[in-house]
Amino acid sequence: MYARRRRRYFLMMGGCIVLFVSAWAVVRLWSMPVAIGMCVVAMVIPPVAAMVANRRGPEDRWWDDPSGDPKSDEWWDELDGKKRRQ
């Protein structure tokens, strides 16, 4: 799951760099407004990429560590449909 999120992040950031570099190296020679539009799109990608990279999937739990309260841990395991190992 982490590899998939990391791959998506690097693809998005790679796309951001490609947009930015191509906007000012190539596209600006034909159309300045299109180059600026490409840079605006490239500007929006990094925050979205960070959200994608840090999003937790349905199988992720940040509370996986036992809390020390056996009743609470049993309740969470039952809620998640997990069988506790005795």
Side-chain angles (χ1 to χ4, degrees), residues 1-32:
M1 75 186 132
Y2 296 116
R4 184 178 10 179
R5 286 191 286 188
R6 189 173 40 241
R7 191 175 324 123
R8 286 181 188 165
Y9 175 79
F10 284 121
L11 282 173
M12 292 178 79
M13 292 305 288
C16 176
I17 291 171
V18 167
L19 275 173
F20 187 75
V21 169
S22 65
W24 292 112
V26 179
V27 177
R28 73 173 172 88
L29 300 173
W30 287 280
S31 175
M32 188 61 79

Side-chain angles (χ1 to χ4, degrees), residues 25-76:
V26 179
V27 177
R28 73 173 172 88
L29 300 173
W30 287 280
S31 175
M32 188 61 79
V34 173
I36 292 171
M38 288 172 68
C39 285
V40 168
V41 171
M43 180 181 69
V44 173
I45 292 175
V48 173
M51 286 185 263
V52 166
N54 291 312
R55 181 177 52 197
R56 300 218 186 265
E59 69 277 356
D60 294 343
R61 284 183 45 198
W62 57 271
W63 59 84
D64 276 340
D65 295 332
S67 67
D69 179 14
K71 191 78 166 167
S72 175
D73 293 338
E74 182 181 328
W75 183 79
W76 278 112

Side-chain angles (χ1 to χ4, degrees), residues 74 83-86:
E74 182 181 328
K83 300 260 187 206
R84 290 206 76 188
R85 294 184 183 133
Q86 300 289 335

